[in-house]
Amino acid sequence: MHSHDPDETPCPVCGKAYDQRVVVERGDRWADVFGGPPFSALTKYSRRCASRHDVEEERARGESERVVYFHDDGPAGRR
């Protein structure tokens, strides 16, 4: 999901717009979560934030879950 619309809730960690949100749970495999090797997904974005708070579902996730918010702030994210 993208969060460039000013009416959407920003990342709960840094307060900035995010480009993608992924929910991961302990035991998940990289290929299942990201659809391929981790570096192919992680190098698309210049930075990442992680939190138990899910802004799109407006709730805290379980102890074994995290929501990862991916940010592409510019050229560094387009390697």
Side-chain angles (χ1 to χ4, degrees), residues 16-56:
K16 305 223 176 181
Y18 58 92
D19 295 285
Q20 184 178 358
R21 166 195 156 274
V22 175
V23 177
V24 294
E25 186 171 4
R26 185 175 293 135
D28 283 345
R29 296 175 43 165
W30 278 106
D32 295 336
V33 175
F34 296 104
F39 292 115
S40 67
L42 297 178
T43 56
K44 292 178 187 175
Y45 301 98
S46 56
R47 62 189 180 85
R48 298 151 297 282
C49 296
S51 175
R52 281 189 54 214
H53 184 73
D54 189 333
V55 297
E56 292 187 13

Side-chain angles (χ1 to χ4, degrees), residues 4-22:
H4 290 296
D5 183 336
D7 294 331
E8 290 188 36
T9 306
C11 171
V13 178
C14 68
K16 305 223 176 181
Y18 58 92
D19 295 285
Q20 184 178 358
R21 166 195 156 274
V22 175

